[in-house]
Amino acid sequence: MARSKLSLAEARRIALAAAGFDKPRPECVTTAHIARVIRRLGLVQLDFVNVLIPAHYLVLFSRLGPYNRKLFDEVAYRSGAFTEQWGREASLVPMETWPLLRHRRAEHRARPYPFVEYIRENPEHIAWALEQVRGKGPITAADLVRGEKAVTLGHDWFTTVERAILEWHFGSGRLAIQRRDERFTRWYDLAERIIPAELLSLEVDRADAERELVRTAARAMGVATSKDIADYFRMPAAQVRPRIEELVGSGELEQCEVAGWTQPAWLHREASVPRQIEASSLLSPFDPVVWHRARVERLFEFDYRIEIFVPPEKRVWGYYVLPFLLGDRLVGRVDLRANRAAGRLEVIGAWKEKGARAVREPLREELRTLAGWLGLELPKSRGGLRVPSTW
């Protein structure tokens, strides 16, 4: 596809098609559908904030509609086709991406960062933990406790020393994730028991690995600036620029202009420009379409950020706000909460973007579909679902 100039609408359609919004939702979702979406995106960022549903499940729902969530877990942890790695934060990636991230594992820094000192001062504890996994098989951090109870770290995610040790071994590539249980707890095992031997031992030249990550990101976005591409796998810009030049030289990427963008864009040769996008989807805050906020603003003229870590009194929209994609535009945002005790999907707030039209009924329908998938009811009023009457 050779296009030296693109309108903003064309760029949006290219981006949405590349991200998997170019086809209608299937009537019956299979593991093959799920695997294709993950491969198309190159990675799915994992996030277990459960105010609604863990975000990675929603990424698949946005494209495929209702599906059995056990199918995602089957594809992710039992098919042998995918594995967890630090891709873009904690991510699910195709198994063949493992060797491409070898240089990151070699440079992995222990988290939380002050834990580096503990590692340096307690090598016997670090080695003992690895031997426990070797002897016992898949374990959780709770299985690793020495003494009467775990030693807490006072950190939101790396809550105990045992958890931090296992995460250190995981981040460095000695351990891999065997599964997640119903509480989303990680089960760690030796990487050699999970990663196929040919991939575990494969050494990829760093420049080749970087080029493949850039290629994956560019294909998944369709059209993007160099900063957009760098953000996809959280790569430094200095790594990305020479790899883009190489892909331009091979004909895989083409430089182009997008109306209104101040930076040059890079168009992947496999990108398509559908005449229209017929999506009607609520998007996870961790969906690839919206996770890089600068790109969201350029593509959709939509100012968005997740406000989970913003103090309540400073939030503009709400705690867990989902953008609503209708056609090729982000036309609104909805603050949602799954009240599981009451069996309700609560719509805490809903806002329509200026100039958006005919949003109310499509949003109602998508909320009904989402609620049904989650096994929840929607609160009703005399006029139906509580969507602002101004819509």
Side-chain angles (χ1 to χ4, degrees), residues 19-250:
F21 288 101
D22 56 336
K23 291 181 175 62
R25 290 169 169 175
E27 292 184 7
C28 180
V29 178
T30 66
T31 55
H33 289 111
I34 292 171
R36 277 198 296 270
V37 169
I38 299 172
R39 288 194 178 280
R40 185 171 193 169
L41 297 176
L43 81 165
V44 172
Q45 185 175 337
L46 301 172
D47 188 88
F48 292 89
V49 172
N50 206 19
V51 65
L52 181 64
I53 186 173
H56 44 282
Y57 292 119
L58 191 59
V59 170
L60 277 294
F61 170 84
S62 298
R63 291 152 177 79
L64 301 175
Y67 67 96
N68 185 336
R69 293 191 291 280
K70 291 181 180 179
L71 295 182
F72 179 95
D73 297 330
E74 180 179 332
V75 170
Y77 301 108
R78 292 187 289 278
S79 70
F82 301 93
T83 190
E84 288 193 26
Q85 262 294 281
W86 288 102
R88 175 195 171 83
E89 305 300 328
S91 303
L92 186 71
V93 300
M95 192 67 78
E96 58 269 25
T97 302
W98 173 275
L100 304 180
L101 299 172
R102 180 183 294 274
H103 60 281
R104 287 197 181 181
R105 293 191 294 274
E107 299 170 353
H108 180 71
R109 185 179 176 187
R111 303 184 187 189
Y113 297 137
F115 194 66
V116 172
E117 185 175 341
Y118 184 91
I119 292 172
R120 187 183 305 114
E121 295 176 353
N122 297 273
E124 75 293 338
H125 194 185
I126 306 303
W128 173 84
L130 195 61
E131 288 308 307
Q132 291 299 299
V133 180
R134 189 180 305 280
K136 295 180 179 179
I139 66 171
T140 69
D143 299 321
L144 200 62
V145 174
R146 294 197 299 185
E148 295 184 1
K149 62 180 181 178
V151 179
T152 60
L153 284 176
H155 188 274
D156 289 341
W157 200 61
F158 300 89
T159 51
T160 65
V161 166
E162 291 76 15
R163 171 70 182 276
I165 290 174
L166 290 173
E167 286 296 325
W168 160 243
H169 284 307
F170 166 67
S172 301
R174 292 176 288 274
L175 298 181
I177 306 305
Q178 191 255 358
R179 70 181 186 275
R180 298 262 187 170
D181 60 26
E182 64 278 358
R183 295 172 299 173
F184 311 125
T185 301
R186 274 176 161 172
W187 287 74
Y188 304 81
D189 201 354
L190 296 179
E192 62 202 55
R193 293 174 182 159
I194 295 174
I195 310 302
E198 64 274 15
L199 295 176
L200 187 68
S201 61
L202 181 61
E203 294 193 14
V204 181
D205 177 80
R206 180 160 181 163
D208 292 340
E210 292 171 356
R211 187 184 311 109
E212 188 58 38
L213 294 174
V214 168
R215 177 183 287 119
T216 298
R219 183 188 299 116
M221 287 188 285
V223 62
T225 67
S226 59
K227 287 185 178 180
D228 297 338
I229 293 172
D231 179 78
Y232 206 83
F233 280 96
R234 293 284 168 84
M235 299 172 68
Q239 287 181 7
V240 169
R241 284 192 291 269
R243 306 291 84 88
I244 288 176
E245 291 175 5
E246 292 162 2
L247 292 175
V248 171
S250 67

Side-chain angles (χ1 to χ4, degrees), residues 373-390:
W373 179 55
L374 297 176
L376 302 173
E377 297 290 333
L378 280 165
K380 299 291 182 67
S381 64
R382 181 178 297 179
L385 177 64
R386 293 181 186 273
V387 173
S389 60
T390 54

